[in-house]
Amino acid sequence: MTTTELSRPIDVSCAACETHGLSLCGLARALAPDQSSHIQIQQTSRTVLARRIICREHDLQDAVPIICGGWAASVVLLSDASRQILSFLLPGDLVSTALLFEPRSHCLVEAITDVVYRTFKRSELKATLLKHPEMFDMLSQAWIEEKDRADQLIVDLGRRTADERIARLILNLAERLSQRDMIRTTENSAIEMEFPLRQHHIADATGLTPVHVSKVLSEFRRGGLIKISDRSLTILDPAGFRRVANMR
Amino acid sequence: MTTTELSRPIDVSCAACETHGLSLCGLARALAPDQSSHIQIQQTSRTVLARRIICREHDLQDAVPIICGGWAASVVLLSDASRQILSFLLPGDLVSTALLFEPRSHCLVEAITDVVYRTFKRSELKATLLKHPEMFDMLSQAWIEEKDRADQLIVDLGRRTADERIARLILNLAERLSQRDMIRTTENSAIEMEFPLRQHHIADATGLTPVHVSKVLSEFRRGGLIKISDRSLTILDPAGFRRVANMR
DNA sequence: CGCTCACTTGAACCTGATCAAATAAGGTGG
DNA sequence: CCACCTTATTTGATCAGGTTCAAGTGAGCG
């Protein structure tokens, strides 16, 4: 069985949500069932195992998913079996703001780690949105951020070198994790984070091959910029790493 | 003087709007002053010359622009003076749906041809949006299309060859122009359209160099796929061209 | 122990970039 | 209308960043 389903009230298997409770983005927080929020919507919590699919392209879905725990990716499959990752989804992320308005997902959403997510009925969520102006603002906020990240990725893929793309990906993830209180900063200002991505994920996200990703990461390691071990990544030299990332 | 400003009623210098009156996308049409629409919002019409800027990055704008005539581009400038075009804007396009919710444009909008556009006050537009559910649907439609095109571009830049990128760009433009009744189909099923783009625009949009764009276009021409002359492009062999565009 | 999956490393290759020079196409002032 | 200047486009030669191919190493797991 790849998914478990349970209706409210949310039970302990959703502990991951609590863990990141405070770190969820506005929308997710407003909808969290255990918050003091005055907004109440029917919702369902699910768990999927790593590598399993959360929603398929062209699926017609009545449900709008929000990630509560774990990492996922939105990916587009090409006819030659190559893949492009459009975005990584972290706890608190709405899978796609477009799903609020149209039932058809146009890309695959795949769990990278085990993932806990909640789903809402589109109709209810929309209704709530129109009734609560503050929710509407959160939505437009999420929308703007989603588009900004897509535009940023376009620039990266169109105009930056492999080194830059990879460094920027890592820094962007660090930034987003930091907003969720999911990084540690050590006394020598190194930044450490959980990093469940395989090199092929990085390759699929940056438009490179896994082989080249390996070479670039080795280079970064040799340069003392980062350290990777045991599904955890440390940026040893944030300033230097940012320098690599930013400009030609 | 780069822009002319005139308050309603719209005069003949906005003839371009009439030309494409029927072709505007839902939102723009609903807002067109000469339509039988029951929705009335204060608006201003402006004209800018080719190559001039419609709105600058980080500009704080009270105004939301919709293109009425001509072609424009959203572009991101990099520190090394290279550029990435995020999207081409055609008549009927909202410059960016994000501008409805936040006053700060995060990219430059540049006229490619002479451009006629109208601007609306954000506050009024937002208010109208919430009052008219059918406008809200048009907006979410525009939003979804905008995001779809961005995602499509990500895939193109991440995973496709130069030939594919260029062919797809041209086909996408043909498709969008066709929705606006701005293409001609000749008896031998060739597709002809106005094509004001310079090769450097194509390069900036596809993440390639102008030199390489020139080579690829020459190759297409030599293969009898397209013809370009006098700011007009003809797809001579649509089937063959689509084959080049679609898959590896 | 033997698999499989992830990563690493090196060699050869190729797509697209860079450099350079020539040609064409506009636009302007006289 | 022409001479001149600037901006596009074309074409060829060379270069380089990443890919592809291939083989080997290592870690986790049944």
Side-chain angles (χ1 to χ4, degrees), chain B residues 27 100 124-133 135-136 139:
Chain B
L27 206 58
L100 276 170
E124 285 183 39
L125 202 45
K126 265 175 91 166
T128 310
L129 223 48
L130 292 173
K131 271 207 300 278
H132 297 272
M135 287 264 308
F136 188 83
L139 169 65

Side-chain angles (χ1 to χ4, degrees), chain A residues 45-108:
Chain A
S45 183
R46 288 195 175 80
T47 306
V48 303
L49 299 179
R51 290 145 174 285
R52 296 294 163 75
I53 288 166
I54 294 175
C55 90
R56 220 171 285 276
E57 333 148 73
H58 309 125
D59 260 11
L60 286 179
Q61 299 249 50
D62 196 31
V64 181
I66 290 186
I67 306 293
C68 295
W71 293 38
S74 305
V75 7
V76 172
L77 268 24
L78 289 247
S79 51
D80 66 343
S82 69
R83 302 154 44 98
Q84 176 66 45
I85 291 182
L86 299 176
S87 71
F88 292 109
L89 304 172
L90 303 180
D93 284 340
L94 196 54
V95 158
S96 145
T97 55
L99 275 179
L100 276 170
F101 303 115
E102 113 183 309
R104 183 185 52 84
S105 167
H106 60 293
C107 64
L108 194 65

Side-chain angles (χ1 to χ4, degrees), chain B residues 4-66:
Chain B
T4 65
E5 182 159 340
L6 39 107
S7 49
R8 298 182 70 190
I10 306 301
D11 82 355
V12 287
S13 78
C14 195
C17 305
E18 315 330 312
T19 310
H20 308 308
L22 288 175
S23 59
L24 301 185
C25 77
L27 206 58
R29 193 166 3 175
L31 295 170
D34 48 311
Q35 299 297 125
S36 55
S37 167
H38 60 291
I39 298 169
Q40 295 293 329
I41 310 188
Q42 182 66 37
Q43 58 185 273
T44 305
S45 183
R46 289 197 175 78
T47 305
V48 302
L49 300 177
R51 291 146 173 284
R52 296 293 162 75
I53 288 166
I54 293 174
C55 89
R56 219 171 288 276
E57 333 146 74
H58 308 126
D59 260 11
L60 287 178
Q61 299 248 54
D62 195 31
V64 181
I66 290 185

Side-chain angles (χ1 to χ4, degrees), chain A residues 79-80 83-84 97 101 106 136 140 143 146-148 151 154 157-159 203-204 207-208 247-248, chain B residues 79-80 83-84 97 101-102 106 136 140 143 146-148 151 154 157-159 203-204 207-208 247-248:
Chain A
S79 51
D80 66 343
R83 302 154 44 98
Q84 176 66 45
T97 55
F101 303 115
H106 60 293
F136 189 84
S140 41
W143 162 208
E146 185 175 321
K147 184 57 162 40
D148 266 354
D151 287 348
I154 289 171
L157 295 179
R159 293 292 170 205
D204 290 344
L208 302 166
M247 54 238 13
R248 296 233 183 116
Chain B
S79 51
D80 67 344
R83 299 154 48 98
Q84 177 66 46
T97 56
F101 302 116
E102 115 182 306
H106 61 292
F136 188 83
S140 42
W143 163 208
E146 186 175 319
K147 183 59 163 37
D148 267 353
D151 287 347
I154 288 171
L157 295 179
R159 293 292 168 203
D204 289 344
L208 302 166
M247 53 236 18
R248 293 229 187 125

